[in-house]
Amino acid sequence: MGKRIGASTRDLIITNFVAIVAGLVLSGLLLLLLDINPIQVFSSALTTLFTDRYMAAEVFLKATPFIFTALAFAFTYKANLFNIGAQGQFYLGAVAAVSVSLLLDGKIPTPILLVVVLASTLVAGGLMGAGIGFLKARYNANEFLTSMMSTYVALAFMNYLLRTVLKETKGEYPQTDALSEAAWIPRIVPGTRLHLGFVIAVVTAILIWVFLYKTPMGFRIRAIGSNARAVELAGINSRKIFVIAFLISGALAGAAGFTEVNGVQRMLIQDFNPDIGSAGIGIAILANANPIGIIFASILFGAISVIGTMMGRMPGINVPPSIVSIIQGSVMLFVITAYYVRAIIGIRRDKKRLKREEA
Amino acid sequence: MSVVVGILARALTMSTPLLYGSLSEVVAERSGMMVTAIEGIFLIGAWGGFVGTYLWGSALYGILLAMGLGVVVAAVYAFVTVTMRQHQVVTGTALNILVAGLCTYFQRVLFGIPTSPLKIERLPQLAIPLLSDIPILGEVFFNQNILTYIMYAIIPLIYFVLFRTSTGLAIRSTGENPVASDVAGISVNFVRYMTVLFSGLMGGVAGAFYSIGFLGMFTAGIIGGRGWIAFAICFLGNWHPFGAVVGTLVFGLAESISIYMQSLGGAGFLPNEFFIALPYILTIVLTVSRRNFKVPAKLGVPYVKEGG
């Protein structure tokens, strides 16, 4: 038995590695269309990544919100529920973060302020998530549709606030005033932008793993995902679980608002991180919805995003920023293919084993 | 009065692409396939419509290119979900991200960074002689572009094929009871491939409508969730073509009112953003209030042949 688990883990690592390389190769081929030498730009970007401390730290900086949105998707996915609305929950978290920060900064000490801000983002995202879970539990409303649509509503709401009550004092652009230093998340590596939020994200991922795999409530959530009918028969109230799972999922996405507003942007602007919700879904899939795997997959997506930015800034070479979505999308697609390939490999191995046992 | 007629006419215009999308989604979902790549198919259709029209000077080429690209995306989707039997929601998400990147990227490859937005001629309004002279109704129904007129023919056609032909029976039984279909000699996977490719074709046209028929240009945000709205309408219309028609008209009206209100800069205490969000709020309200869904039994479930 132990030997077979070893083989499947090896398959997982090898096939996913091949999938990632395939995604990079495909994107590289597209660069040829713009007369750009992909090997040259990729190797130059990777060299910078491994030699320049600032850029290396950027990878973890970018990975931070991804960890949260990927955990948000994975958490409901474990219960066979779909929270496609992490983007919207992130927006509400960001609105909460900037509002509370602007309201309280300078009035209470930084550590307490940051805890209050983080709590407010959890509440904002969590309430929005719980609302979706409630509609599912009470009215059997398809959570895929409601969560998907809620993102567009949250976006309109955020834009409304940015145009009215949250608008900067200068009154020029639809953006908030900058936060004062008292509301910044402390940086952890000198000379870089990497802040404590990354550590919080990693710890959160570990806590979510413990919650899902080591607690009775986590067991119930996963049980719903594997067999909802059996769970009902066992007397577990699946409706309550819907609300709880979505509450936690929404809170996780909301927390990304905290790390991005107080850790990176230090204000709220229009068109703020519009893609972290869908990237989160991709990362969760890449990691097979495993919270620990999500940490590493988020770092990979962070690296893709930093490499894309670097390639766009190389002097004389104009790599369009859209290459990032192409790499992300194709890596995802190849990773999905890898699931299929692994299933085939697994079946072949079993057949061989059976034959050997028969002989 | 003319304001109301204008809003109604615009409502019909805006419901046209949604109907192409949701009708094809009905056909695919009846065979057990959710086409979650619909947002990406709409987007590549909008891009293809723009590029074909811009490069070759005729909307016809634009629409053909849009259909072709829509089918390509649908084919990839079908290969991953039908042949490789992978999760439909997950595959759709990946494809939507990839397509969004590809459209923006190839726009850059083809046109560089233009100093002013590239424009194309929009599809003309074709007033149908006599019929367009009917007061109110004429202006609303018979002074539209060609894609809306084609839509009038597609609605009964799809209803007829789905419920009155053996093809339709094969599609519906594949979604309800694939094992029975298989026993009856129908290739489940073939039917599902065909319905998904049909979705790609129709979704491509729907997308092209936004660039050729409405905006007269291509932007990365041109679809902005409309594919998902078409997807939702299929659910809300209870997987029935006529349900989809009612649904798209409601959404077309919501969008038309939204556009009109935005042109006024909001109405009283309701800000502009409320009207931008209106179609999405409506989807949520309808999803919550709708009862007695008749979901195709095997929707989203890949078919595994016994012993295969």
Side-chain angles (χ1 to χ4, degrees):
Chain A
M1 196 62 196
K3 211 176 163 191
R4 283 190 58 212
I5 290 172
S8 65
T9 312
R10 195 189 60 210
D11 289 350
L12 180 82
I13 293 170
I14 294 176
T15 49
N16 272 353
F17 181 76
V18 172
I20 292 161
V21 171
L24 291 174
V25 169
L26 181 78
S27 319
L29 290 176
L30 289 177
L31 287 177
L32 290 174
L33 293 173
L34 286 174
D35 280 329
I36 295 168
N37 181 343
I39 298 173
Q40 191 201 329
V41 288
F42 270 116
S43 58
S44 141
L46 281 175
T47 313
T48 318
L49 211 57
F50 286 110
T51 53
D52 185 321
R53 195 168 63 156
Y54 181 85
M55 290 320 275
E58 286 288 292
V59 170
F60 300 99
L61 185 84
K62 295 274 183 206
T64 305
F66 289 161
I67 294 177
F68 283 116
T69 51
L71 285 174
F73 180 79
F75 197 83
T76 46
Y77 191 67
K78 283 286 177 199
N80 207 15
L81 296 168
F82 286 92
N83 180 10
I84 309 288
Q87 185 72 39
Q89 291 138 20
F90 156 71
Y91 286 148
L92 288 199
V95 165
V98 84
S99 311
V100 174
S101 301
L102 286 173
L103 212 63
L104 293 181
D105 82 11
K107 292 185 185 122
I108 50 177
T110 299
I112 300 172
L113 173 68
L114 290 179
V115 171
V116 173
V117 173
L118 174 59
S120 74
T121 61
L122 296 178
V123 170
L127 282 180
M128 185 167 161
I132 295 162
F134 170 76
L135 294 180
K136 168 89 181 171
R138 176 76 179 76
Y139 301 101
N140 197 23
N142 184 304
E143 83 284 2
F144 182 80
L145 293 181
T146 50
S147 64
M148 163 75 63
M149 294 298 145
S150 67
T151 290
Y152 295 99
V153 180
L155 175 64
F157 177 65
M158 180 176 81
N159 283 338
Y160 167 68
L161 293 179
L162 282 175
R163 194 171 59 81
T164 54
V165 287
L166 286 178
K167 196 170 185 177
E168 58 176 357
T169 346
K170 264 194 303 176
E172 204 172 331
Y173 298 106
Q175 60 189 29
T176 66
D177 286 324
L179 306 186
S180 79
E181 217 174 320
W184 296 357
I185 301 175
R187 288 185 170 158
I188 51 176
V189 180
T192 73
R193 297 203 295 165
L194 188 61
H195 57 79
L196 198 60
F198 177 71
V199 179
I200 298 174
V202 170
V203 171
T204 307
I206 296 168
L207 290 178
I208 292 293
W209 182 85
V210 171
F211 180 80
L212 277 174
Y213 291 93
K214 301 287 169 201
T215 68
M217 178 53 85
F219 172 76
R220 278 182 218 134
I221 288 173
R222 288 184 298 122
I224 289 214
S226 49
N227 192 341
R229 175 109 186 87
V231 165
E232 285 285 337
L233 291 175
I236 296 173
N237 182 349
S238 64
R239 293 177 171 212
K240 207 173 99 188
I241 306 256
F242 289 161
V243 180
I244 293 173
F246 263 97
L247 172 79
I248 296 175
S249 174
L252 287 167
F258 168 64
T259 65
E260 293 318 280
V261 167
N262 294 65
V264 184
Q265 204 73 36
R266 293 162 176 180
M267 63 192 295
L268 187 57
I269 54 175
Q270 243 176 357
D271 292 323
F272 186 58
N273 285 346
D275 300 317
I276 65 169
S278 52
I281 298 174
I283 290 162
I285 299 312
L286 182 62
N288 202 8
N290 180 314
I292 307 300
I294 281 174
I295 300 172
F296 296 102
S298 298
I299 293 171
L300 172 74
F301 266 53
I304 292 174
S305 144
V306 172
I307 287 173
T309 319
M310 274 197 283
M311 294 197 306
R313 286 192 197 142
M314 283 176 192
I317 308 166
N318 270 315
V319 180
S322 46
I323 198 74
V324 174
S325 319
I326 295 180
I327 302 177
Q328 286 178 349
S330 52
V331 165
M332 278 175 73
L333 211 53
F334 285 117
V335 165
I336 295 169
T337 311
Y339 276 95
Y340 177 68
V341 173
R342 278 200 299 279
I344 299 278
I345 294 175
I347 290 169
R348 283 215 183 131
R349 189 176 292 135
D350 285 350
K351 275 186 183 163
K352 257 189 201 164
R353 194 169 47 86
L354 284 173
K355 264 186 191 161
R356 231 182 300 129
E357 280 168 12
E358 273 171 20
Chain B
M1 197 62 206
S2 69
V3 170
V4 176
V5 173
I7 289 177
L8 290 178
R10 165 68 62 69
L12 197 66
T13 310
M14 296 319 288
S15 55
T16 302
L18 293 177
L19 196 73
Y20 278 92
S22 57
L23 277 181
S24 66
E25 191 73 37
V26 167
V27 172
E29 296 202 5
R30 282 284 183 152
S31 80
M33 295 294 298
M34 285 190 283
V35 187
T36 50
I38 190 168
E39 180 80 7
I41 291 173
F42 268 41
L43 186 63
I44 209 162
W47 184 75
F50 167 80
V51 170
T53 310
Y54 188 86
L55 292 183
W56 300 310
S58 156
L60 179 66
Y61 292 122
I63 293 169
L64 287 177
L65 184 62
M67 289 162 99
L69 292 174
V71 168
V72 170
V73 174
V76 175
Y77 180 77
F79 181 72
V80 177
T81 55
V82 177
T83 306
M84 300 207 294
R85 299 193 290 266
Q86 295 304 304
H87 201 288
Q88 299 183 2
V89 172
V90 166
T91 308
T93 307
L95 267 177
N96 292 336
I97 294 176
L98 180 61
V99 166
L102 287 175
C103 288
T104 316
Y105 188 83
F106 277 92
Q107 180 79 356
R108 168 79 174 274
V109 170
L110 288 178
F111 305 109
I113 306 169
T115 43
S116 61
L118 305 171
K119 294 263 185 185
I120 50 171
E121 188 115 1
R122 284 191 290 167
L123 286 175
Q125 312 269 104
L126 303 171
I128 297 197
L130 298 177
L131 286 177
S132 61
D133 295 333
I134 304 169
I136 304 175
L137 291 181
E139 183 59 31
V140 174
F141 287 99
F142 299 109
N143 189 17
Q144 298 280 355
N145 69 38
I146 181 85
L147 290 176
T148 307
Y149 296 134
I150 295 174
M151 174 185 88
Y152 296 156
I154 287 178
I155 299 166
L157 192 69
I158 286 196
Y159 173 81
F160 182 78
V161 171
L162 209 47
F163 293 101
R164 295 280 182 273
T165 67
S166 58
T167 308
L169 186 63
I171 292 172
R172 286 181 294 126
S173 68
T174 298
E176 291 296 335
N177 192 342
V179 179
S181 290
D182 202 356
V183 171
I186 299 164
S187 163
V188 172
N189 284 359
F190 176 77
V191 171
R192 291 184 171 176
Y193 257 95
M194 285 303 125
T195 58
V196 171
L197 294 183
F198 175 69
S199 278
L201 198 76
M202 296 271 281
V205 178
F209 187 96
Y210 288 107
S211 58
I212 306 176
F214 182 58
L215 270 190
M217 55 193 270
F218 174 79
T219 64
I222 188 165
I223 300 303
R226 257 89 152 237
W228 289 121
I229 287 187
F231 183 85
I233 289 170
C234 167
F235 273 69
L236 302 175
N238 228 348
W239 291 271
H240 195 284
F242 296 156
V245 171
V246 175
T248 45
L249 289 176
V250 171
F251 277 94
L253 188 62
E255 202 161 359
S256 176
I257 291 173
S258 164
I259 293 170
Y260 176 72
M261 288 301 177
Q262 286 173 56
S263 72
L264 297 183
F269 65 98
L270 287 173
N272 226 345
E273 287 83 359
F274 172 77
F275 293 102
I276 293 173
L278 187 61
Y280 308 106
I281 296 173
L282 192 63
T283 314
I284 295 174
V285 172
L286 290 176
T287 309
V288 171
S289 54
R290 197 77 173 77
R291 282 287 181 281
N292 305 322
F293 282 117
K294 278 186 255 161
V295 191
K298 295 296 173 195
L299 184 61
V301 184
Y303 181 61
V304 186
K305 208 171 178 149
E306 216 166 307

